[in-house]
Amino acid sequence: MTARTPLLAGLTSVAALSLGLTTLSVSAQAATEWDMPTPYGDRTFHTVNIREFADDVRERTDGELDITVHANGSLIGHPEIKNSVRRGIVPIGELIMSRLANENPIYEVDSVPYLAASYEEAWALWEASREIIAEELAQQGLRILFAVPWPPQGIYTQQAVEGPDDLRNLSMRAYNTASERLAQLVGAVPTQVEVPDIPTAFSTGRVDAMVTSPATGADTKAWDYLSHFNHAQLWLPKNMVIVSEQAFSRLDEATREAVLEAAAAAEERGWEMSRQETDDALAVLREHGIEVSEPPPELAELLAEIGETMTEEWSERAGDQGAAILEAYEAARP
């Protein structure tokens, strides 16, 4: 008996060690890890805000939910982000809302020229449309966590725009159906180009002009490939962060609440960042030699007419959902 005691003691020690390692392994695996693709670069304020959101979630959950942000389309390209979340390839992602306009026109309500051309109007429009958009996404097993607008959209060109004729026949970069339609109505030729490809598209002559924000121009160093920005303030398109309802429902109640709280904080912070980004980006453009101007009278008149046309077209396409959004918006419009 005494001769076997060391062996038994050794087996007991091994069992204890094995149990300890198992416990450590379970503990180490307790945290949930989410990969989050985003289309824009690290310098873009949307990406900065989303990284803060991820940090906030990590802090609020004591590390139980760890979100890794993959910026600049490095994990999944912009066109595939929404379907990747829906299919469960990734649990969460960011995309520009109007990219989904081909699925349902309500997603491009924030990209109708001059329907909402200020931050106050843009917020009222978001409040009027949020529930309907959320319901539409929910039918696909998706939940919208928050949405943040880009600065007001303007027109970048390689020469001064003194009237409507200066835009005709230009190859104009577009990023959604609204910018494509705008290009058509001003007589330009719409060309789809993602943000990371903008400098190359200009340098190779693929595009001559683009509709986008002061922020995108500053982030892509527009002064390297063009010289003018017309601050037309056409619309304020929003990026939205969506999550798979299935992935969200797998979280415990406390973690879900922490995510929602972090999302609300990110939305509030993001809107303020967008306001500041407008002023900062315009200053950066001017500092680097971009001539910033307002639409001359003839162009302003044309853009206003285009806004009315596109509002009517959108309303017809959006049907009852669109009518409900417009009615709620008009009641709350500042």
Side-chain angles (χ1 to χ4, degrees):
M1 293 292 295
T2 55
R4 295 175 60 189
T5 301
L7 176 60
L8 292 173
L11 290 173
T12 303
S13 297
V14 169
L17 177 60
S18 176
L19 178 61
L21 290 175
T22 301
T23 302
L24 287 172
S25 176
V26 171
S27 176
Q29 294 175 6
T32 300
E33 296 182 353
W34 283 2
D35 286 309
M36 180 177 183
T38 72
Y40 306 100
D42 287 319
R43 294 185 303 174
T44 305
F45 78 94
H46 283 287
T47 306
V48 173
N49 185 42
I50 283 172
R51 290 195 185 281
E52 289 189 34
F53 163 72
D55 290 342
D56 193 11
V57 168
R58 196 175 299 111
E59 182 178 345
R60 289 174 186 267
T61 64
D62 293 324
E64 289 302 308
L65 178 57
D66 188 4
I67 301 175
T68 300
V69 178
H70 301 268
N72 209 35
S74 59
L75 181 64
I76 295 173
H78 197 171
E80 300 302 322
I81 289 177
K82 180 258 185 178
N83 282 334
S84 294
V85 177
R86 183 178 61 82
R87 292 161 56 194
I89 296 173
V90 290
I92 187 171
E94 179 207 26
L95 68 153
I96 192 165
M97 190 171 76
S98 54
R99 176 171 280 281
L100 306 182
N102 288 332
E103 295 183 15
N104 190 320
I106 62 171
Y107 294 122
E108 65 174 341
V109 65
D110 60 3
S111 298
V112 178
Y114 299 121
L115 179 60
S118 69
Y119 280 97
E120 292 76 17
E121 290 180 340
W123 178 255
L125 183 59
W126 176 224
E127 290 283 85
S129 59
R130 183 198 298 259
E131 184 175 344
I132 290 176
I133 289 170
E135 290 173 354
E136 192 69 21
L137 288 169
Q139 293 180 17
Q140 301 183 58
L142 299 170
R143 173 187 290 260
I144 185 166
L145 292 180
F146 62 93
V148 172
W150 287 92
Q153 305 292 283
I155 304 171
Y156 288 86
T157 56
Q158 294 174 312
Q159 68 284 318
V161 176
E162 298 177 353
D165 289 344
D166 294 322
L167 294 175
R168 291 195 177 98
N169 298 319
L170 294 182
S171 178
M172 181 177 287
R173 178 253 176 177
Y175 60 85
N176 60 11
T177 56
S179 54
E180 287 180 6
R181 182 61 175 147
L182 177 71
Q184 292 169 351
L185 291 174
V186 299
V189 180
T191 305
Q192 281 281 348
V193 177
E194 290 294 337
V195 168
D197 301 324
I198 287 175
T200 301
F202 272 92
S203 64
T204 59
R206 185 181 173 195
V207 293
D208 310 303
M210 65 179 174
V211 173
T212 194
S213 71
T216 299
D219 289 342
T220 61
K221 299 182 179 180
W223 48 87
D224 287 340
Y225 51 85
L226 50 77
S227 56
H228 290 74
F229 176 62
N230 196 295
H231 191 33
Q233 302 184 70
L234 295 163
W235 61 77
L236 289 80
K238 291 185 294 295
N239 283 3
M240 63 178 179
V241 171
I242 57 174
V243 63
S244 159
E245 189 64 54
Q246 185 178 55
F248 185 77
S249 65
R250 287 173 179 162
L251 303 174
D252 61 54
E253 184 176 353
T255 303
R256 291 197 300 268
E257 186 63 28
V259 171
L260 295 177
E261 290 173 355
E267 183 165 90
E268 181 177 357
R269 180 177 60 244
W271 280 73
E272 288 304 315
M273 291 174 73
S274 181
R275 287 176 181 269
Q276 186 61 49
E277 183 70 17
T278 301
D279 296 335
D280 293 347
L282 287 171
V284 168
L285 294 176
R286 291 189 177 100
E287 287 171 7
H288 287 85
I290 296 289
E291 184 176 326
V292 178
S293 62
E294 303 293 329
E298 286 187 28
L299 180 58
E301 183 178 350
L302 174 63
L303 292 175
E305 292 174 359
I306 288 173
E308 293 176 2
T309 297
M310 289 181 64
T311 298
E312 292 176 3
E313 291 176 346
W314 178 83
S315 180
E316 290 178 4
R317 293 196 309 274
D320 292 342
Q321 289 178 313
I325 290 173
L326 291 178
E327 182 179 357
Y329 175 51
E330 288 303 322
R333 191 172 189 171

